[in-house]
Amino acid sequence: MSDRGVGASIARKEDDRFLMGTGEFTPDVQLPGMWHAAFNRAQIAHGRLVSVKAPSGAEGQVFTSADMADIKPIRSTASFPGFKGADFPVLARDKVRYAGEQVAIAVAPTRAEAEDIADSIEVEYEELPAVVDMNDGREPSAALVHDHWADNVCCETQFENGDLEPARAAAVHTIHRRFRMARQTPFPMEGRGTLAHYDSRLDELVVWMSHQLPHPMQRGIAHFLGLEINNVRVICPDVGGGFGLKTHLDGETMAVCWTSLKLGRPIKWIQDRLEHLTCDADCRNHQYTMTAYTDEIGKILGMEVECVVDAGAYSPWPWPIGVEAATGVGNLQGPYTVDALKGRSVTVCTNKPPSQPFRGVARPGACFTDELTMDAIARTVGREPWDVRLDNLVPPAAMPYDTVTRKHLDSGDYPEAFRRCVAAIDPESVRERQKTPEPDGRLIGVGFACFYEQTAYGTGPFGYSAWGIELVPGMEMATVKLTPDGGLWASVGIQCHGQGLETTLAQVAASELGIDPERIAIRHGDTATAYAGTGTYASRSIVVAGGAVAQGCRELKPRLARIGAHLLQCDEADVAVENAEVRGPGGSVTFDEIAEAFYHHPENLPDDTDRGGLTVATGYNDKVHGGVFGFGAHGAVVAVDPDTGQVEILDYAIVDDCGTRVNPLVVKGQVIGGYAQGIGNALYEESDYDENGQPLSVTLADYHVPAAPMVPDIKYDYMESPSPYTTMGIKGVGESGAIGPVGAIGNAVNDALKGLGVEIAETPITPRRVFDAIERGRAR
Amino acid sequence: MKPAPFDYARAESLDEAVRLLSGADGDARPLAGGQSLGPMLNLRIARPALLVDLSPIAELREVSEDEDGVTIGASVVHSAVEDGEVPDVTGGLMRRAASGIAYRAVRNRGTVAGSLAHADPAGDWAPVTMALGASLGVTGPEGRRTVAADAFITDPLTTVLEPGEIVEAIRVPRLSGTARWGHYKLCVKPGDFAESLAVVVRDPDRDRCRVALAGPTHAPILLDGVAGLVAEASGWSDALADEIKDAAGGGIAAAGFADADDRYAMNVHATVTVRAAREALSR
Amino acid sequence: MTSTTISVNGRTVTADVEPRLSLADFLREHEGLTGTHTACEHGVCGACTIMLDDRPARSCITLAVAAHGAEVRTVEGYDGDETMATIRESFKKAHAVQCGYCTPGMLATAYDIVTRLPDADRDRIRLELAGNLCRCTGYIGIVDAIEMTLAEIRGGS
């Protein structure tokens, strides 16, 4: 069966139900007596709530924060210096702090009727000046988003390692740049959604949620509602994408749970696209000010950086304000041998929706910063950027390597992966092409980006425990059971929303036990079936849940061996457990037969049969707690139209290394999916606001998600550098593809513009931004 | 995103449609394919009291061709033009334009007349019909009238249609064999509404040359200065491109089509005009 | 309430519905055909794409009352259809599915491409897919799957 285990590109087990239309997403769940919820939302970005008046005839169908006095505000904790938690009210209390913030919930038999009621709720505001830009928010004259604070800065972090003074003193070149990333949204195809109902038989509030973190949501809902964990079950069924958006506990869900308990009927709220684009959590809104010190050939000696993050109005739970900034600064040296780094981060509250980690967390911002800096260095020292990169990349002989930001890079040949990417792009041919003007007048550019991806991190020195947050991921649990007919059932606390984990975790188990993946059921996304877990995020699930499932299989083996040897009438020491059977010197017995004996014919069992039976509940914890590191090199060739500012990707190459690939088809799919999101990040996606904080990108006419013609084919290559620290050498890969494109495309555009002496330093690289840069160049 | 409540009626004849639309205190709207109105209903931007469904009216689905052109009934969908089911009297311009509107699933429902009547300023059909010198047959409580395509849209989302009036058909004149056209649409992704869309039709045998421009903030305009240059041109040159760009800029500024201080918008519209002209003159 | 009669996957359904009810919600909530997903409800993302009189259409911006007299085919309605079976198999082979939310609409568009444009190349496939957003796959697997299907159909005929 090993040909279907780890390393095999088998088709996914979950595909059939999606292709037949028989998957079950939260909106698909219908319960008897169910009503729908809609929200009345703030029309202004900042103001005091003077009054909220429900329409007559809607008694018992509209609730406000005054009704929900028994719900605790959603409060996050962290140990960042100066951390201010910015409690997230379930429904606005006293003030609204962003346009679209939920003010009241309305419920009715249909969604349309609920919207009718929500629309006719009369809300009176006393409007206040809005803090829209993070830099403005730091000014002493800025309005206060939270009245009881002295200013809008909600968190500052400092980091220093290595001695920067010698770097400054020895520097031949000092490169100084400021980079900005626009706000955008993760935009899963399925928005949020919550259906809550009270199961009186079990005295349990059952909450169906489109979410990535079932167990943390169970804890949060119970805690903020004042219930015992035993009285809350969270089910995350099929989930139509998450990308980090669906990792926090939203106020709407709390209001739905409360209302369901209050009315004693199932209440369903399905976030629509207008809500998603208007007021769901955003991401990526960072500003980096970088100073790099280099020698005469561009070897980086040290870096100083300030990272400012626009947090929006509230701190999400459980990942609080500050995580983005800490991650941004904590990865700024990228995969390079930088000896000294001094970093500072400032997180600022504004009158915009809360900010939430999105695929890559802050690493795309860090990559944009360090990779565009790298090319700026190359231009300054007069060398090609690929040569400068090779001089700075961590060499394989240095592995494992501790970066200046204390990331323990575990394995990989970064320069070789990069060389392969360079070879795929062939930048020398681009240099040749650039010597002759293009017939259509466009400007050609080539750019690269290198990055590592920190995956499956937990309690490490620069991870969740150091940040002092409430839920620190560590041990990941799995329950593994041989079923009475010889199949395998495994339950895990992660949640699969497109990553193919129902298949890849089955492949891990198949490799351990030799059972065909078709006979292995992976159960996830339900607090009633999984013992514990923190869900799926941060490129962790295949490493930690894979490790836990493998561990469960390994602990099952001696139990199987003992029963098998007894059935074979041979010595336990003489049997092997593989290929779904126990094989002894004189024959073998299948798992089916062992299960049959265990469950239904105990008279055939040895007296010393393990009392744990054929079920193992066990866990996995990394040998290192700061994660294991994948690596990627991206290369892009672009054409820039100087008359329209449009950028076309002509060629794109990716070389990726995520250690042992459990299913190469799935790995490649993750990388390409990330690449497409990276293109959106680099070129198209922006959640824009006017000077009053009104959102301007609330439909797909204004918010541009990459469509198929905007995502060209790629040249794809991979390397496999197993991690020395994980089961089977697996590393995570979920975020990798999304990190590189901003750097590679940004550099390619700047390469195209270099004749004009201008650089782009802000995403997305829209036609207008390109045109403005060209105008600046022509005016020089 | 569910619409506010409204009443709904299926009109079986044009007369019935006009009668229904004239009622409802002026708060009735016609429904053809619903591809523009549908989103506005779901977003609750449009809140009509009554929708009058025109789709049962057989005569609105009719297409008739004669030697001077083609008459396209109001219920004819974009994909019928795209696929050539509607006789193409424009040497391929209508088919090109149709194929770039939104997506196939939208083109299968959305109608040419409905798109024009919706009057999104960046809509695809207005500049095409304007450049072709097409006209719209309109019927209403006061009877029938004909409106030139270039006089139909007065402002974004506003047309000359009076309450109760609907577009009955679009009349597209036949281009001569020597006519050439250019069509350049700039948008973020294929199928989007245009950031800028220029259409050039040069038909020397009929002594006609028209250039139309559409964009997101202003009703579509004709650029007569550019049309004059294209009409007189004997081929393509960089010098002509510069002249056209200047003339386009002048026309755009004079019409207030884009904010004159917005150098990007001004440049994009002028560039798109040049590219459409180049296509027309390079064919 | 307005009466509407629609053939849904070959079965004639008559119902009194609110005029504002979309065809997508009619299929999902009245007919229990939850394979049709809504994701933008303004006609752009393509998740709700179904076949209406054998042509792809957006069910989120089509009113149930306006589909009166029409034949609707949803993702649940392809039993015994060899073309769709080939498309589905290709989607599996090419890893064209991740979260599965866009998939039913994607299949409707794929079916349209395969049946209407037998000579479509990768660029044309991409262009035809522009009205179906997918946030997971980066589309390459979907383009591969459709190309694979076309090749298989060409090879078989």
Side-chain angles (χ1 to χ4, degrees):
Chain A
M1 288 303 152
S2 60
D3 60 331
R4 293 173 55 76
V6 170
S9 285
I10 62 172
R12 303 191 324 164
K13 287 157 59 75
E14 44 270 78
D15 284 353
D16 284 333
R17 69 177 186 268
F18 296 131
L19 288 163
M20 300 307 288
T22 53
E24 186 176 51
F25 298 85
T26 301
D28 303 339
V29 181
Q30 302 204 39
L31 297 174
M34 180 177 83
W35 276 16
H36 294 258
F39 288 88
N40 176 283
R41 295 182 177 280
Q43 300 297 305
I44 58 173
H46 194 196
R48 290 188 204 291
L49 269 177
V50 177
S51 66
V52 182
K53 193 170 152 225
S56 61
E59 288 73 21
Q61 289 179 265
V62 174
F63 303 98
T64 68
S65 61
D67 300 304
M68 299 184 188
D70 49 335
I71 303 190
K72 302 179 184 87
I74 299 170
R75 174 170 298 170
S76 53
T77 54
S79 60
F80 299 118
F83 175 80
K84 301 171 199 159
D87 285 356
F88 197 156
V90 166
L91 296 173
R93 276 175 210 267
D94 308 326
K95 265 175 94 171
V96 294
R97 295 185 177 84
Y98 58 90
E101 182 173 355
Q102 58 274 11
V103 173
I105 182 172
V107 294
T110 67
R111 171 65 179 243
E113 292 166 285
E115 287 186 23
D116 295 344
I117 296 171
D119 273 7
S120 55
I121 296 171
E122 289 175 28
V123 184
E124 194 185 329
Y125 299 99
E126 179 190 321
E127 193 163 0
L128 297 168
V131 180
V132 183
D133 181 84
M134 54 182 147
N135 293 322
D136 296 343
R138 295 171 74 184
E139 296 293 327
S141 59
L144 290 175
V145 177
H146 297 276
D147 295 352
H148 58 290
W149 293 3
D151 57 36
N152 291 314
V153 173
C154 51
C155 171
E156 287 187 72
T157 64
Q158 307 275 350
F159 179 85
E160 189 164 3
N161 190 25
D163 193 349
L164 206 57
E165 277 317 312
R168 278 200 198 104
V172 178
H173 300 287
T174 300
I175 284 85
H176 185 76
R177 293 287 187 281
R178 175 173 283 190
F179 301 99
R180 259 183 94 109
M181 284 197 145
R183 267 193 170 234
Q184 60 167 105
T185 163
F187 197 90
M189 287 303 293
E190 183 203 3
R192 288 179 192 283
T194 299
L195 164 57
H197 81 98
Y198 177 69
D199 181 328
S200 58
R201 179 176 69 86
L202 297 173
D203 186 19
E204 193 174 67
L205 178 69
V206 182
V207 186
W208 300 73
M209 285 181 85
S210 184
H211 211 276
Q212 301 171 226
L213 317 182
H215 289 83
M217 291 305 103
Q218 178 193 37
R219 180 190 160 98
I221 290 166
H223 174 70
F224 296 115
L225 277 177
L227 302 175
E228 296 277 326
I229 297 257
N230 268 339
N231 303 114
V232 177
R233 174 184 179 187
V234 171
I235 303 168
C236 303
D238 287 327
V239 171
F243 315 116
L245 177 78
K246 297 172 184 172
T247 59
H248 77 258
L249 178 56
D250 51 302
E252 290 93 336
T253 288
M254 292 302 297
V256 165
C257 290
W258 184 93
T259 307
S260 173
L261 289 172
K262 169 84 177 172
L263 298 181
R265 66 161 73 242
I267 301 288
K268 182 199 247 181
W269 168 67
I270 301 303
Q271 180 191 59
D272 63 34
R273 196 52 65 182
L274 186 62
E275 291 177 295
H276 175 72
L277 290 174
T278 303
C279 52
D280 202 349
D282 292 322
C283 54
R284 295 271 196 271
N285 203 180
H286 298 188
Q287 171 185 290
Y288 296 86
T289 307
M290 161 71 91
T291 306
Y293 303 100
T294 81
D295 68 10
E296 71 277 14
I297 61 162
K299 173 79 186 74
I300 299 172
L301 307 173
M303 287 177 166
E304 271 180 282
V305 68
E306 185 201 62
C307 169
V308 186
V309 171
D310 180 339
Y314 300 112
S315 181
W317 183 94
W319 314 145
I321 277 174
V323 166
E324 284 271 304
T327 306
V329 171
N331 292 283
L332 262 170
Q333 84 296 329
Y336 302 112
T337 54
V338 178
D339 291 332
L341 184 144
K342 184 176 179 183
R344 171 165 184 265
S345 83
V346 182
T347 304
V348 185
C349 272
T350 61
N351 291 114
K352 289 188 283 193
S355 182
Q356 168 77 30
F358 170 39
R359 197 175 195 171
V361 196
R363 281 173 293 263
C367 177
F368 186 61
T369 301
D370 74 55
E371 292 308 300
L372 267 64
T373 300
M374 191 62 79
D375 274 37
I377 291 169
R379 283 191 291 275
T380 303
V381 302
R383 299 177 69 205
E384 290 293 7
W386 44 94
D387 294 331
V388 175
R389 272 189 182 74
L390 283 168
D391 287 346
N392 281 285
L393 281 169
V394 174
M399 290 292 178
Y401 177 84
D402 290 313
T403 72
V404 68
T405 50
R406 303 204 175 101
K407 301 295 179 294
H408 184 70
L409 307 179
D410 49 334
S411 65
D413 187 340
Y414 295 2
E416 173 58 17
F418 180 57
R419 279 190 290 267
R420 288 192 195 183
C421 182
V422 172
I425 289 290
D426 189 9
E428 299 296 349
S429 71
V430 178
R431 289 284 177 260
E432 272 307 304
R433 181 174 175 177
Q434 286 171 328
K435 288 176 183 166
T436 318
E438 295 289 309
D440 60 8
R442 293 196 295 179
L443 306 169
I444 305 297
V446 59
F448 294 94
C450 296
F451 59 91
Y452 61 69
E453 182 197 8
Q454 183 184 12
T455 74
Y457 50 108
T459 54
F462 288 89
Y464 300 89
S465 62
W467 296 334
I469 70 171
E470 198 172 321
L471 301 183
V472 177
M475 186 83 78
E476 188 69 29
M477 305 302 294
T479 305
V480 175
K481 171 173 85 176
L482 193 73
T483 61
D485 58 359
L488 197 79
W489 182 94
S491 158
V492 283
I494 53 93
Q495 205 286 335
C496 175
H497 42 283
Q499 298 90 341
L501 288 153
E502 292 174 26
T503 305
T504 51
L505 293 177
Q507 288 181 266
V508 168
S511 280
E512 292 294 329
L513 295 173
I515 299 175
D516 189 281
E518 287 303 318
R519 296 200 68 201
I520 300 173
I522 302 294
R523 296 287 179 256
H524 62 87
D526 187 346
T527 60
T529 58
Y531 158 55
T534 60
T536 288
Y537 55 93
S539 305
R540 68 192 296 270
S541 289
I542 192 60
V543 179
V544 298
V549 167
Q551 182 63 25
C553 294
R554 288 172 190 182
E555 291 181 24
L556 207 50
K557 278 185 176 182
R559 303 185 192 181
L560 294 162
R562 181 166 298 169
I563 298 171
H566 183 77
L567 296 173
L568 289 167
Q569 299 288 300
C570 70
D571 196 296
E572 206 177 314
D574 293 336
V575 301
V577 182
E578 55 194 22
N579 292 326
E581 61 184 21
V582 173
R583 200 178 63 249
S588 60
V589 56
T590 64
F591 285 0
D592 304 25
E593 291 164 321
I594 292 171
E596 176 73 9
F598 176 78
Y599 289 103
H600 304 304
H601 292 285
E603 70 274 18
N604 294 338
L605 295 178
D607 291 340
D608 59 352
T609 297
D610 193 300
R611 292 299 177 257
L614 298 182
T615 297
V616 169
T618 187
Y620 169 85
N621 205 353
D622 293 336
K623 290 179 191 147
V624 290
H625 302 304
V628 292
F629 291 78
F631 175 78
H634 287 208
V637 180
V638 303
V640 176
D641 185 331
D643 291 317
T644 64
Q646 287 195 316
V647 176
E648 183 189 357
I649 299 169
L650 303 178
D651 194 14
Y652 203 96
I654 296 176
V655 180
D656 203 83
D657 186 341
C658 63
T660 303
R661 297 175 305 158
V662 175
N663 182 326
L665 201 60
V666 169
V667 165
K668 188 177 175 186
Q670 288 295 305
V671 171
I672 293 172
Y675 151 70
Q677 293 183 353
I679 289 174
N681 191 174
L683 296 178
Y684 301 115
E685 294 181 46
E686 180 164 13
S687 303
D688 205 5
Y689 293 81
D690 75 7
E691 67 278 11
N692 298 316
Q694 285 294 333
L696 300 173
S697 322
V698 301
T699 73
L700 289 170
D702 298 306
Y703 190 86
H704 302 290
V705 176
M710 295 135 93
V711 185
D713 286 332
I714 61 168
K715 295 166 178 163
Y716 171 77
D717 194 7
Y718 65 91
M719 293 175 68
E720 281 189 288
S721 308
S723 174
Y725 304 126
T726 64
T727 304
M728 301 183 202
I730 299 167
K731 302 177 181 180
V733 71
E735 296 165 284
S736 165
I739 300 173
V742 276
I745 295 169
N747 277 330
V749 170
N750 282 342
D751 188 55
L753 300 181
K754 71 175 180 231
L756 293 157
V758 290
E759 293 175 7
I760 294 279
E762 186 171 7
T763 66
I765 305 168
T766 57
R768 184 180 285 276
R769 289 193 175 107
V770 172
F771 180 81
D772 287 348
I774 290 171
E775 289 267 287
R776 282 200 308 278
R778 286 176 176 158
R780 278 157 62 104
Chain B
M1 286 180 68
K2 311 298 179 192
F6 51 78
D7 290 330
Y8 170 87
R10 293 186 184 105
E12 301 293 337
S13 69
L14 263 178
D15 287 349
E16 189 185 2
V18 169
R19 184 174 52 75
L20 288 165
L21 285 165
S22 304
D25 294 329
D27 223 1
R29 289 192 68 158
L31 173 70
Q35 302 300 288
S36 302
L37 185 57
M40 297 184 73
L41 291 171
N42 286 0
L43 290 159
R44 298 198 174 203
I45 294 169
R47 293 172 180 243
L50 171 68
L51 279 191
V52 179
D53 192 344
L54 306 180
S55 59
I57 305 173
E59 60 186 288
L60 294 184
R61 291 194 292 273
E62 286 172 8
V63 176
S64 61
E65 183 184 12
D66 55 45
E67 61 183 34
D68 294 329
V70 64
T71 302
I72 302 169
S75 289
V76 171
V77 296
H78 309 301
S79 61
V81 179
E82 176 187 14
D83 294 349
E85 289 166 26
V86 173
D88 183 13
V89 298
T90 65
L93 171 58
M94 296 277 286
R95 290 184 72 171
R96 159 90 77 86
S99 68
I101 297 170
Y103 322 104
R104 183 74 183 181
V106 171
R107 299 196 290 273
N108 283 332
R109 297 282 298 167
T111 65
V112 182
S115 169
L116 283 165
H118 176 65
D120 189 297
D124 290 75
W125 284 121
V128 173
T129 52
M130 286 164 70
L132 285 167
S135 58
L136 290 83
V138 168
T139 187
E142 307 298 320
R144 288 187 155 82
R145 62 182 177 128
T146 300
V147 181
D150 53 57
F152 184 67
I153 297 175
T154 53
D155 277 303
L157 305 177
T158 310
T159 69
V160 298
L161 289 177
E162 297 289 338
E165 279 192 320
I166 54 172
V167 178
E168 194 177 351
I170 298 148
R171 174 71 184 174
V172 180
R174 184 183 298 276
L175 295 184
S176 63
T178 56
R180 296 292 180 266
W181 53 264
H183 176 276
Y184 197 92
K185 179 177 177 180
L186 188 83
C187 50
V188 179
K189 93 170 160 166
D192 273 358
F193 276 108
E195 212 169 312
S196 182
L197 168 56
V199 183
V200 173
V201 175
R202 183 173 185 263
D203 194 349
D205 285 359
R206 290 166 62 235
D207 195 22
R208 267 177 178 264
C209 184
R210 284 179 154 230
V211 177
L213 180 65
T217 56
H218 188 281
I221 57 171
L222 288 172
L223 292 171
D224 294 338
V226 177
L229 290 169
V230 172
E232 288 160 22
S234 54
W236 188 252
S237 69
D238 289 348
L240 179 61
D242 291 343
E243 276 187 80
I244 289 175
K245 194 164 183 178
D246 287 346
I252 291 161
F257 184 79
D259 176 359
D261 293 333
D262 185 342
R263 290 181 53 79
Y264 169 72
M266 291 294 291
N267 183 73
V268 159
H269 290 310
T271 298
V272 163
T273 306
V274 169
R275 290 181 183 181
R278 183 175 63 199
E279 186 185 12
L281 290 170
S282 307
R283 276 169 172 267
Chain C
M1 291 291 196
T2 300
S3 174
T4 188
T5 299
I6 306 171
S7 162
V8 180
N9 297 331
R11 189 173 45 88
T12 300
V13 180
T14 298
D16 285 327
V17 299
E18 269 200 292
R20 61 172 158 174
L21 185 72
S22 71
L23 178 59
D25 286 344
F26 174 79
L27 293 168
R28 292 176 50 77
E29 293 179 7
H30 287 241
E31 296 305 302
L33 296 169
T34 54
T36 297
H37 300 153
T38 59
C40 81
E41 293 184 274
H42 55 286
V44 182
C45 82
C48 70
T49 306
I50 46 92
M51 289 291 178
L52 193 68
D53 293 332
D54 293 327
R55 288 163 165 255
R58 303 291 206 227
S59 61
C60 74
I61 52 171
T62 300
L63 296 171
V65 290
H68 178 68
E71 286 182 17
V72 169
R73 193 180 203 188
T74 70
V75 68
E76 293 94 343
Y78 288 89
D79 287 355
D81 186 301
E82 282 185 26
T83 301
M84 185 56 92
T86 307
I87 293 171
R88 283 174 166 147
E89 201 50 40
S90 302
F91 266 58
K92 285 180 74 166
K93 282 186 205 153
H95 189 24
V97 182
Q98 286 190 25
C99 82
Y101 202 77
C102 74
T103 305
M106 215 42 103
L107 290 173
T109 297
Y111 194 89
D112 177 54
I113 296 170
V114 166
T115 50
R116 182 169 57 88
L117 303 166
D119 299 320
D121 61 10
R122 290 179 77 81
D123 283 348
R124 185 64 193 266
I125 293 168
R126 276 196 162 82
L127 188 64
E128 295 293 327
L129 288 174
N132 287 74
L133 296 180
C134 167
R135 192 58 157 172
C136 295
T137 65
Y139 305 101
I140 293 176
I142 296 170
V143 176
D144 289 345
I146 295 172
E147 195 179 38
M148 205 183 280
T149 306
L150 286 169
E152 192 154 319
I153 289 172
R154 275 195 291 267
S157 62

